Amino acid sequence: MKKGELLFEGNEKQVYATDNPDQVIFRYKDVTVAYNNVKRARFIGKGALNNKISAILLNYLNQNGVETHFIEILGEKEQLCRKIEIIPLQVVVHNRIAGSLAARLGVEEGFRHPNTIVDLRYNNDFLEDPFINRDHAFALGLATYQELDEMYNIARRVNELLKPLFHKAGIELVDMKLEFGRASDTGSIIISDEISPDTCRLWDEKTGERMDKDRFRLDLSCVVENYNNVLTRLKQVTES
Ligand code: C5P
């Protein structure tokens, strides 16, 4: 497999072509952005950590019947993935209310609720990723109703699989953002992008310490140390 041209450069990732038209290389950068790119910093080692954490989680999903774009790790910062047609939607799953949802609903950070909440956002930097519903998504031609149903069902399944996995590692999965695409080879809806401390809220079950991007958002320091702690604990529960 040969690395080809740069197809896409985002704030936190690069995507390269390969000599296989159905496969791409994802490269995780050390850059971190928040609040719609208003806040930005570089953390040496973050890219490698997210590459490894995301690989563990996506591989775990693949092994448990949830199709993702992940194929294999290639190096410190790179992984081989299936090529997809991007669906510009973010499906956000909440097990507790925190972050922007807490502000939107006027409840305290960490508010506990009995159900799982699933939100939909339009992935659009210019509009600052607005909350939308299924009708908006269909109206804009982003996905069919059947595809939206599939994405919601997959998102709930991912949550059912990852919540107990993180729990085994002593970490509470508070919320997470998932992205989807249509696989270029089969056309099926699969999980794309990353699942990492950049896209999840992860709280230490014992201490309540934040182990995710909120450390950067809220200037709590020790970003890389906490990501490393997430990786170490996930390795312990998946390799044993
Ligand atoms: O920012 P907000 O509180 O809405 O985030 C909800 C969840 O989605 C968090 O886990 C956050 O890290 C993730 N998220 C993301 N990418 C964004 C916005 C939020 O991964 N652009």
Side-chain angles (χ1 to χ4, degrees), residues 92-103:
V92 188
V93 182
H94 305 265
N95 295 310
R96 278 214 227 187
I97 296 179
S100 76
L101 185 59

Side-chain angles (χ1 to χ4, degrees), residues 90 92 99-100 121 129 175-177 198-201 217:
Q90 302 176 353
V92 188
S100 76
R121 298 179 85 146
D129 304 336
D175 62 28
M176 69 179 150
K177 185 254 323 180
D198 273 3
T199 63
C200 300
R201 277 201 173 82
R217 292 190 189 98

